[in-house]
């Protein structure tokens, strides 16, 4: 399984970006895909996740109401629409996938087996 993330870049505070993550290969099971981010000097943190079949979603509190996770099943692609961006959203954003997660594990980075390369989002004030 390979994941390819894209869409990062520089943006001013209050602006928007849409990240994409396309996977190839077979993940299997009732898989979940998620977004994590890692700011300089900080640990990787959960941002959002989506159940690929049912479409259930979950978000970390700091992005609720600003970010939206979605999927295009036909294109094997997950998206993260980020609106009202803040300087504290600056980070490398990673996409991840796993075929065996239960919902209580969605926010745990160690629970995901497959990872894409990161895409850098820089929000200036």
């Amino acid at each position: 399984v390979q994941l390819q993330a894209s869409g990062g870049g520089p943006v001013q505070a209050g602006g928007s970006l849409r990240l994409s993550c396309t996977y190839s290969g077979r993940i299997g099971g009732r898989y979940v895909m998620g977004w994590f981010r890692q700011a300089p000097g900080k640990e990787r943190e959960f941002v959002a996740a989506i159940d690929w079949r049912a479409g259930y979603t979950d978000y970390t509190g700091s992005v609720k109401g600003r970010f939206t996770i979605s999927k295009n099943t036909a294109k094997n692609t997950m998206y993260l629409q980020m609106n009202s961006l803040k300087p504290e959203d600056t980070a490398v954003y990673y996409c991840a996938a796993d075929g065996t997660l239960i919902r209580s594990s969605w926010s745990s980075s160690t629970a995901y087996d497959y990872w894409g390369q990161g895409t850098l989002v820089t929000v200036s004030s």
Side-chain angles (χ1 to χ4, degrees):
V1 175
Q2 291 188 327
L3 306 178
Q4 180 74 35
S6 62
V11 63
Q12 289 192 330
S16 299
L17 279 176
R18 188 177 79 158
L19 306 183
S20 300
C21 176
T22 300
Y23 77 86
S24 59
R26 178 176 170 80
I27 299 175
R30 182 168 182 147
Y31 57 96
V32 173
M33 293 189 71
W35 290 99
F36 289 77
R37 65 186 180 187
Q38 188 165 17
K42 295 188 177 181
E43 292 187 354
R44 190 169 297 188
E45 66 169 350
F46 171 74
V47 177
I50 186 166
D51 179 307
W52 200 255
R53 289 187 185 179
Y56 303 129
T57 60
D58 197 11
Y59 299 88
T60 192
S62 62
V63 308
K64 282 183 180 178
R66 300 189 298 123
F67 292 9
T68 303
I69 190 171
S70 63
K71 61 183 176 72
N72 184 321
T73 302
K75 295 183 177 181
N76 288 352
T77 300
M78 171 180 66
Y79 304 98
L80 186 68
Q81 177 67 44
M82 304 186 295
N83 298 328
S84 302
L85 282 161
K86 304 175 181 180
E88 51 264 42
D89 294 317
T90 294
V92 176
Y93 283 71
Y94 298 90
C95 59
D98 194 89
T100 61
L101 290 183
I102 58 175
R103 196 158 186 175
S104 60
S105 297
W106 284 14
S107 61
S108 173
S109 63
T110 58
Y112 290 77
D113 281 343
Y114 308 108
W115 288 86
Q117 92 295 355
T119 185
L120 177 62
V121 173
T122 304
V123 184
S124 59
S125 57

